[in-house]
Amino acid sequence: MAPEAAARPTRAELRLAAREQSRAQRRGAAKAATRAALFRVAVPSVAALGVAGAAAVTVVQEQADRVSPQAAAADAPDAAAARQTARQAVDATDQTQASRGDARQPLAGTQPVDAPAAGAPTAQPTPEPAKPKVVMPVAQHGLGELFGAAGTHWARRHTGIDFPVDGGSEVYAVTDGTIRTQWNPFYGYMSILKTSDGTEAWYCHLRAYKVRKGPVKQGDVIAFVGSSGNSTGPHLHFEVRPQGGGPVDPLPWFLANGLDPR
């Protein structure tokens, strides 16, 4: 056989080569169709999906590029399935973003932890204890001579009550009022406290004054115990005179104001 005849392909070889070329063309056409279907579904949604959606489409596209020639040729007719897969990836991304948005939404209306609930009662400040109307004129309790007692020391009955305390002991304003002072041969050095209702409290036989004139507050030190005037020893003679009139028994007056000086 001549060399030219040996190099010429036979009809069987030509038919085989034609079939191989046709198969290659079909494989290329199937791959192109798959890519076109994926991009028609995924690419218009990239703007809406953002980075997450684009990443999902890219993964699907890369998986499609790695398909073997045989699988691509077999799957070419199923372009609708590829579009459905891409659409599911897009829907999953939308749901993820929506769930994140829902999780953040309540935070905008969250109230501070320590904010009181609507309608809840607010704590009221503890009221200060009521100020007593009267305090003791000296710190030490205990009485000597009582109101109305008779004796050689008085021309008439005793007009007050006596607190037998040491000389120099502090004398207090029994309530708010205004002080004036004077000397009396029987009462000695005196401090007279006049209250807002006109009642007068007389402090007698004093040693010295601390406040000679002017307003004082309940509990202020106004003088010091002595034995001036008609007195046989240090003590405080205390009288109560309503409306600046005659003396009354100071003991019931103290008891009515919640104090017992005995």
Side-chain angles (χ1 to χ4, degrees):
M1 181 178 295
E4 293 81 0
R8 184 178 302 170
T10 63
R11 291 182 178 179
E13 290 175 341
L14 290 174
R15 285 194 300 271
L16 180 59
R19 284 196 297 270
E20 291 296 333
Q21 183 177 1
S22 177
R23 289 176 182 174
Q25 289 176 351
R26 287 196 300 272
R27 286 195 297 269
K31 184 181 293 186
T34 301
R35 291 180 179 177
L38 290 174
F39 275 97
R40 281 194 301 271
V41 174
V43 171
S45 301
V46 170
L49 294 176
V51 177
V57 174
T58 302
V59 171
V60 175
Q61 180 180 350
E62 290 175 354
Q63 291 178 350
D65 290 341
R66 291 196 295 268
V67 176
S68 63
Q70 293 81 0
D75 294 341
D78 198 11
R83 289 194 297 271
Q84 181 66 22
T85 301
R87 186 177 296 108
Q88 291 175 353
V90 172
D91 292 341
T93 304
D94 288 341
Q95 292 176 359
T96 301
Q97 292 179 346
S99 63
R100 290 176 181 174
D102 293 341
R104 289 192 300 268
Q105 184 176 0
L107 297 178
T110 301
Q111 297 296 327
V113 175
D114 56 352
T122 56
Q124 298 296 327
T126 303
E128 295 183 359
K131 179 181 177 181
K133 294 181 179 181
V134 173
V135 297
M136 289 279 291
V138 291
Q140 181 178 333
H141 288 236
L143 297 179
E145 297 291 345
L146 299 179
F147 180 82
T152 59
H153 298 291
W154 313 290
R156 292 176 293 181
R157 300 280 182 176
H158 194 221
T159 55
I161 55 176
D162 289 346
F163 292 86
V165 293
D166 295 335
S169 298
E170 294 180 335
V171 177
Y172 308 112
V174 291
T175 187
D176 298 350
T178 304
I179 287 288
R180 75 178 190 270
T181 58
Q182 65 186 47
W183 164 262
N184 183 284
F186 300 101
Y187 289 108
Y189 292 108
M190 300 173 57
S191 288
I192 300 175
L193 172 65
K194 186 174 184 178
T195 66
S196 59
D197 65 359
T199 299
E200 291 183 351
W202 287 19
Y203 303 80
C204 305
H205 307 303
L206 301 175
R207 172 186 294 180
Y209 309 117
K210 184 173 183 179
V211 179
R212 286 184 173 271
K213 184 179 181 179
V216 293
K217 293 292 185 181
Q218 183 185 83
D220 286 352
V221 178
I222 60 173
F224 301 93
V225 172
S227 184
S228 60
N230 185 16
S231 171
T232 59
H235 70 283
L236 174 66
H237 176 87
F238 183 83
E239 294 187 8
V240 173
R241 294 177 175 253
Q243 303 298 320
V248 298
D249 188 353
L251 182 56
W253 183 80
F254 277 116
L255 295 175
N257 284 284
L259 291 176
D260 189 349
R262 294 171 294 186

